[in-house]
Amino acid sequence: MACNTRIGRKFATGTALIALCASLAVAQDAPESLLPPGFDNPAPTPSPTPTPTAAPVPAATGQPGAAPIAPTVQPLPGGALAPMPDLGSVDLSQLPTLEELEEMSPDELDDLLGLTPSYDIPPAARRSMAQVGLLSAREGGLPSGSLARQPASLVRAVLAGSDGTLVSRWGHIVLRRTLASRLSAPEGMNPVEFASLRAQTLNAMGEYGVTRALVQDIDTGNYSNGLTNAAVQAYIATGDVVGACPAVRFAESGRDDAQWTMLRAICNAYVGEGALAGRELDRALSNNIAPQIDVLLAQRFAGAAGRGRRAVSVEWDNVDDLNPWRFALANAVGEPIPDELLEDAGPYYQRTWATAPMLPLMQRARGADRAAREGILSSVAMVDLYSQIYADNTLDGAEALTASRLRQAYVGNSADERMSAMRDIWGGTANPDYGRYVLTAYAAARLSPDAAFADDAAPLIASMLSAGLDRDALAWVNVVPAGSQGWAMLQLVRPTADAQLTREQIEAFLDDDDSADRRKSQFFFAGLAGLNRGSSAQLGNVAGDLGVDLSRQTRWTQLISAAAQVENSALVVMLAGLGMQGSNWDQMTPLHLFHIVSALNDVGLSAEARLIAAEAVARG
């Protein structure tokens, strides 16, 4: 034997050597299984009776080729195998094939197996729905219990009816603050429904960033169909497509449309299912579930999540218009949108690109004026945007010129230079864009009151009040002539009426009013009445001259007056927002303005009431 020969040459004797060689010989002749004894050829199950007596185990002899010991197998309980189920009654025709299983998404597999995907937040970490919102009362929000005892049907009707923009910048600001407050739901209303109504109203106002923050304060497992749809709309509008994935994957939506199909595919890509997402989008493209441009952009976006980023060519040749989906995805992947489509873009896109940090500065500036006059952008945000434009020496055009003139409005060598720069920004027209007033608010406040600028007092005061700088505006009270537009705004924005207005002063303003249908005079009168400025006899005479009847009652006037009587500030603001629905001040009536200003003033929101009244005179 080779083993004996090789080992014998090295070792003379030894029992261990003999045993080693014997075992090696057995291994060569008959290889043993590595499985435990009994798994290769299990012994038949012994009969339960009679019970055999275990024989003593013989000692190992160490002889090669010894027979293995048969393992002891325990009998099954009951002495028999369990019966097989009867498959004759099971319908196997509906089971998917292996190819169909491979094509299924994780959500479809969950549906097939009867599994409901759910969020895995431990119970102790789940957020309460007792109060939902961003701003507590200490942070400037309204008291959390403001609506707790109000009728659910009334709050539901008010929020459902607030489905558009507001004519007033300050009305927009105070309504946004109310909707973003940490509030308890009205009695009898589900907190999720309350949050959903607030999110939908914020979206209608163009406040998509606030909506996104609001829905993120709620666990995805609590979402309803309405809240999910509002959340997805906000995520798309802000360009945060992946941010919508928790809602898409785990929340209730009741949707099966083309956009939802593409969203699910994108979300599959960003959870590691790149191949599955590719197949889903290929199928969507071949089935024409949406315009080709929308699916191609979805493929480009989903492809960025995987390693194998296939090239996707996006063609705009046959695209005639924009929609929120293609606008958001094109911006997210850096795909240039043709200029002709951007030129025809409506208000929705102007609001969204004004606050989109990934877009070019010049494009953002094109939508900034609208966002500022509607209340979405603050004066500080406007100055920050144009400061970035000024700092980029490669930019030119009208926006770059405005940025340069804005710098002069702040740091000009003389008051004349600064005033001239602000005139250029306003455009020199009788009714400049109110967003430009927002842009120059702090520059106007830096200008010392001077009788030499009395003719510019009205736009200067309007500019300061657009940013809430009422103290700086009131410094011009001794400069503006009585009866002028600047004088009228200062009379409304005063915290208190220091002196009784005379009939001559009011008539001077009425005579000097050249607005259509004397709307500025009507709004001035409605603001005075709402703030209780002037005697009843005096206001009655003005009402007669203007033909305004403030005693007329409607369902809305009764509700807002009742809410003011019980000092419910949140309900007053929501009703005020409902009464300010519209795209311009031509849609506002003196009756509505009177009740809005009066109700806000009665519930402690006097500053907002005064600023809205002064804004009405500036923009009426």
Side-chain angles (χ1 to χ4, degrees), residues 13 72 77 176 200 272 303 315 340 348 365 378 503 571 605:
T13 58
T72 302
R176 177 183 61 199
Q200 292 169 15
E315 299 292 341
E340 56 270 19
Y348 167 86
S378 67
R503 180 174 178 82
L571 188 56
L605 297 173

Side-chain angles (χ1 to χ4, degrees), residues 482-499:
S484 64
Q485 181 174 318
W487 168 86
M489 288 187 287
L490 292 181
Q491 299 307 313
L492 293 171
V493 83
R494 283 175 179 269
T496 58
D498 297 334

Side-chain angles (χ1 to χ4, degrees), residues 479-543:
V479 175
V480 294
S484 64
Q485 181 174 318
W487 168 86
M489 288 187 287
L490 292 181
Q491 299 307 313
L492 293 171
V493 83
R494 283 175 179 269
T496 58
D498 297 334
Q500 192 72 18
L501 299 179
T502 65
R503 180 174 178 82
E504 290 74 17
Q505 292 173 325
I506 297 177
E507 287 181 349
F509 176 76
L510 301 183
D511 295 339
D512 195 43
D513 181 14
D514 58 356
S515 61
D517 299 327
R518 305 176 74 183
R519 295 185 64 81
K520 290 183 182 293
S521 296
Q522 293 178 0
F523 290 155
F524 178 55
F525 161 69
L528 289 176
L531 296 170
N532 298 317
R533 308 280 170 88
S535 64
S536 299
Q538 190 179 55
L539 294 176
N541 293 332
V542 175

Side-chain angles (χ1 to χ4, degrees), residues 10-54:
K10 295 184 179 181
F11 302 98
T13 58
T15 306
L17 175 62
I18 298 173
L20 174 64
C21 291
S23 63
L24 289 175
V26 172
Q28 286 180 341
D29 297 339
E32 287 186 346
S33 172
L34 297 178
L35 293 174
F39 278 79
D40 287 328
N41 297 305
T45 304
S47 175
T49 56
T51 302
T53 303

Side-chain angles (χ1 to χ4, degrees), residues 581-603:
Q581 297 284 299
S583 57
N584 58 72
W585 279 89
D586 292 342
Q587 298 167 285
M588 174 62 70
T589 68
L591 178 67
H592 282 72
L593 181 65
F594 162 71
H595 282 282
I596 290 169
V597 172
S598 176
L600 291 173
N601 189 53
D602 290 343
V603 297

